[in-house]
Each structure stands twice: as C-alpha cells, then as structure tokens.
Amino acid sequence: MTAHPFDAPASQALLERALAVTPGGVNSPVRAFRAVGGTPRFMASGSGPYLTDVDGREYVDLVCSWGPMILGHGHPAVVDAVSTAVSQGFSFGTPSENEVALGEEIVARVEPVEQVRLVSSGTEATMSAIRLARGYTGRSLVVKFAGCYHGHVDSLLAQAGSGVATFALPDSAGVPKEMAAETIVLPFNDLAAVEEAFAARGSEIAAVITEASPGNMGVVPPAPGFTDGLRRITAAHGALLISDEVMTGFRCSAAGWYGLEGPYAAGAPDLFTFGKVMGGGFPAAAFGGRADVMALLAPVGPVYQAGTLSGNPVATAAGRATLQQCTPELYARLDEVADAITGALDTELGRAGVPHTIQRAGSMFSVFFRDGAVTNYDQARAQHVPAFAAFFHSMLSQGVYLPPSAFESWFVSGAHDDAAVDRIVSALPAAASAAAESFATIDS
C-alpha cells in the first residue's frame, strides 16, 4: 500500500475556504485536528469500512461518524429505506408512520423504556431529559461526573471530557455562573462522593446523569456496582437517574450498555437518552423511560419540548433500517473485529515498549498512553498526549483514519472485513514505533 503524504493539498484548499466562513473551518471542534496537528482531512465519500478524501486517498475508517455507522458506509438496506422515504417527501411537520415505527423499535429493545420522544441530536435529548427530571421532581440541581460529555448543554459542560478535554478547556465561555451553579460535578466511579453530595443536598437534587459507559474521555467503563449504587442512592432521595446512551445505545448490544450490564438489583434508570446508531447517520436522537415520567411532557403534561424536524421521516427511516440490521450476528462480528484490533494493538505497543492501557465497552475501545487502569477523568488526562499524536499521524499516513483526539472512542462496523482489519494491523508496528519515539523525547 502506498503511503499517504503528510500534506493534503485539496483538503488544505477546502480548509482555507472554510476558515473564511466558519470559525476554525469546522462545524464541530474536534474535527479541526488541533490536538494532533496537520490538515484535517475533508472526506468526499464512504463505502463499507472505507473513507476517501478529496485528495483521492482511501482510509480504513475507525471513527464511523463517531459511532452511527455501525453497518458501515452506504449499507444497501439503509440506502433503500432512505431512497424510498425521500421519494415520498423530505419533511411534513406532521406525525408520520416512520417515527412511530422507530419508537416501537427502541421500546422493544430496551426493556425499561416504556415511551420515547424523538429529537434531532444527542444534545437535545439530554437537555430535554434534564428539563423533564426537573419538572417531575420540582428540584433544580443536577449531578454529573467529570469526563462525561452530555452534549453542549450549558449546565452540563463543566468538566465535560471529549472536545473540551481535547482543547484543554475546563468549562466553556458563555455559560452563566448561575447556570453552572445548578450542576454538581463529582468524580466518576466514586460512590462515596455521590453519597456525600446527597447527604448534603439530596432534597435539592433533581437527577443524576451519567454516561452509561463513558466514551468521551476515552473508554472508561463503570466499576462493578457503580450504576446499581447510583440507582439505589437516587431512589432513596427521590431523584431521577438518567442513563446517557447516546454513544453506547444499540452500539454495545441490541439494548446498548443496559443490555450488557442490566438489569440492576436496585432497579432501572428512570430515563435514557439515545442517538448516533438509532439515526443511521442522519440527525436523530431520543429520550425515553418510565411512562409516568414521560407523561409530564407536552401536550399531555406541563413540561414543554418541541422540534420542527423531530421525527423527520427520512432520518427515522434510516434509523429503523439500521436497527433492523443490528442482529446478534452483527454484534458478534463487531466483537470479533474489536478483539483482533485491540489484541494486535496491545502486542505492538508492548513490543515497542510504549506504556499503554486499552479499555473497552462492548466493541467500543480506546488506548491511553499511560500505565494502569483508567477509572476517572483525572487518570484519563494523565496520559502522554503527544504520543497519541505521533501514533495518529503514522496510522493516517498508512491509510487508517483514527479519531483525531486522545480522548475519544474508536469504532468499528459490520463492514470491517478481514482485508480492512489486516490493513489496520499491518499499520500498527510503525505507529507503535512513532509513539515510542515520542516517549523517548521526554526521557532524553
């Protein structure tokens, strides 16, 4: 395979055009390559497990649109569903059968979810779930965990991992201090801290929101008993538990992270949020849970939430077609591919003497360039980020597209066949050597 040069002239030309009309030249910060350096690749097309950029270079894709492309790019069943939906109209501003069918698919897969409301983004889903929890409890405080990202909701951006960690921003400008004061930020996987917060202010706390298995500081699964402990504590104090499965939902299993870890002895979360896979690559998300809580939403109840494109017929057709292809055989293949890549990654980094830890949530995984298990945000941030940048560019030059940040999850798809996996594995020795050189620079 021919190595890709560092320069990408067609992408650079598009970046220069974009910089004139868009802050940073991108519409989502992590795409800018600021954490790794170089020119962000502008993609022209995707097919199966591959992306092709505007310079005509092909890459094995381990971003998968940050999770949604669980079937790979351009899956025929999804293309057919979208084509049919488009031929019947783009958007109606009325109810349609597709949104009902997608809602039924979600409710059938996640046992505690009795009703759902469709929205257009994960941020909308978490924002709406928080509003609903406050309306249900009559309280205002929300507990979240450092390193968990729940979209760019004002009050949830404190210590939010993901892009915020990538850009070394502790919070975000533009968030009023009064709004930030409505959020209590605690260390992830620390039940004692949760107990202490509820002992002090339990009567004011409306909800605890947690990523079911965080993937926005790298993959950091909850410790055994942590989620069950959250359910026990919130139930004892009359607060709701919101499980954010925007990333893990239908990705880790047919029922998301809940399908791997649940049911919980103390009971299920009250609300869930979903996105990414359930939209099949289109803007679609949802929040849902217990029927008595969901009954507070307008037009039935007093908690208002609305969206012009919520339940869009094209997006819901793509989402439903995607979920229908998410079979036991697909999840078995995702695990097989993740096993092969993480096994080879561990071997090559070890052979090169690179300190590392690889962590997984289902088929999602990431590598931390440091020794020892990572259980919280502080530990995730303690890795050697320059080593990741060196590793990233070596893989990119060999035609493997990784997330351009050390604080993101890697994703695979059902389209990653043996040939795609072999290309990834064959690129690892050189990338491990590049990471080792980065560590050697520190020691010298």
Side-chain angles (χ1 to χ4, degrees), residues 79-125:
V79 171
D80 288 347
V82 169
S83 298
T84 299
V86 165
S87 71
Q88 296 169 345
F90 303 160
S91 180
F92 309 131
T94 72
S96 70
E97 183 177 357
N98 282 354
E99 63 194 272
V100 178
L102 180 57
E104 290 171 339
E105 191 77 34
I106 294 170
V107 168
R109 285 170 175 264
V110 189
E111 186 272 333
V113 175
E114 297 174 328
Q115 291 189 327
V116 295
R117 172 67 61 85
L118 301 183
V119 293
S120 298
S121 71
T123 293
E124 276 190 85

Side-chain angles (χ1 to χ4, degrees), residues 15 99 112 162 166 295 313:
L15 177 63
E99 63 194 272
S162 194
T166 296

Side-chain angles (χ1 to χ4, degrees), residues 212 310 348 363:
S310 296
E348 296 302 336
S363 63

Side-chain angles (χ1 to χ4, degrees), residues 44-183:
S45 64
S47 178
Y50 300 108
L51 293 171
T52 301
D53 70 13
V54 292
D55 286 283
R57 301 166 185 167
E58 185 181 78
Y59 305 86
V60 182
D61 183 15
L62 287 175
V63 175
C64 294
S65 191
W66 304 100
M69 310 315 299
I70 194 168
L71 306 180
H73 297 279
H75 190 281
V78 182
V79 171
D80 288 347
V82 169
S83 298
T84 299
V86 165
S87 71
Q88 296 169 345
F90 303 160
S91 180
F92 309 131
T94 72
S96 70
E97 183 177 357
N98 282 354
E99 63 194 272
V100 178
L102 180 57
E104 290 171 339
E105 191 77 34
I106 294 170
V107 168
R109 285 170 175 264
V110 189
E111 186 272 333
V113 175
E114 297 174 328
Q115 291 189 327
V116 295
R117 172 67 61 85
L118 301 183
V119 293
S120 298
S121 71
T123 293
E124 276 190 85
T126 57
M127 175 184 71
S128 301
I130 291 292
R131 183 183 303 158
L132 180 55
R134 285 173 167 151
Y136 184 84
T137 62
R139 304 171 183 176
S140 61
L141 292 183
V142 172
V143 172
K144 66 150 290 187
F145 298 101
C148 288
Y149 178 69
H150 304 289
H152 57 96
V153 181
D154 280 354
S155 60
L156 299 180
L157 274 176
Q159 298 186 51
S162 194
V164 177
T166 296
F167 290 95
L169 301 173
D171 299 293
S172 174
V175 178
K177 61 181 180 180
E178 295 83 4
M179 189 165 291
E182 296 295 314
T183 305

Side-chain angles (χ1 to χ4, degrees), residues 156-341:
L156 299 180
L157 274 176
Q159 298 186 51
S162 194
V164 177
T166 296
F167 290 95
L169 301 173
D171 299 293
S172 174
V175 178
K177 61 181 180 180
E178 295 83 4
M179 189 165 291
E182 296 295 314
T183 305
I184 299 171
V185 183
L186 301 176
F188 188 67
N189 274 326
D190 190 342
L191 277 180
V194 180
E195 294 272 18
E196 184 177 342
F198 272 90
R201 306 189 70 178
S203 63
E204 303 171 70
I205 297 173
V208 172
I209 184 168
T210 182
E211 283 191 76
S213 181
N216 284 291
M217 51 179 147
V219 174
V220 181
F226 180 69
T227 309
D228 192 62
L230 295 180
R231 171 71 290 178
R232 173 180 52 79
I233 295 166
T234 52
H237 290 269
L240 300 190
L241 177 59
I242 303 170
S243 181
D244 183 351
E245 293 231 31
V246 167
M247 184 176 287
T248 56
F250 318 113
R251 163 60 73 171
C252 290
S253 77
W257 184 256
Y258 182 83
L260 294 183
E261 191 180 61
Y264 304 107
D270 302 286
L271 293 171
F272 293 77
T273 60
F274 303 107
K276 299 188 184 292
V277 168
M278 62 152 284
F282 283 74
F287 64 102
R290 285 171 30 203
D292 65 310
V293 179
M294 296 297 290
L296 265 71
L297 285 174
V300 181
V303 178
Y304 192 74
Q305 181 277 329
T308 299
L309 294 178
S310 296
N312 175 269
V314 180
T316 49
R320 186 187 183 208
T322 296
L323 290 183
Q324 288 176 333
Q325 297 296 315
C326 289
T327 62
E329 292 75 19
L330 173 76
Y331 291 111
R333 176 59 184 172
L334 296 178
D335 287 340
E336 182 181 349
V337 171
D339 287 345
I341 297 171

Side-chain angles (χ1 to χ4, degrees), residues 35 354-356 367-371 379-391 406-407 434-443:
V354 176
H356 67 282
V367 57
F368 298 93
F369 286 93
R370 51 155 287 166
D371 287 323
Q379 292 171 350
R381 290 189 295 181
Q383 65 178 302
H384 183 53
V385 175
F388 175 81
F391 184 89
F407 300 97
E437 291 176 13
S438 177
F439 273 100
T441 302
I442 296 178
D443 297 333

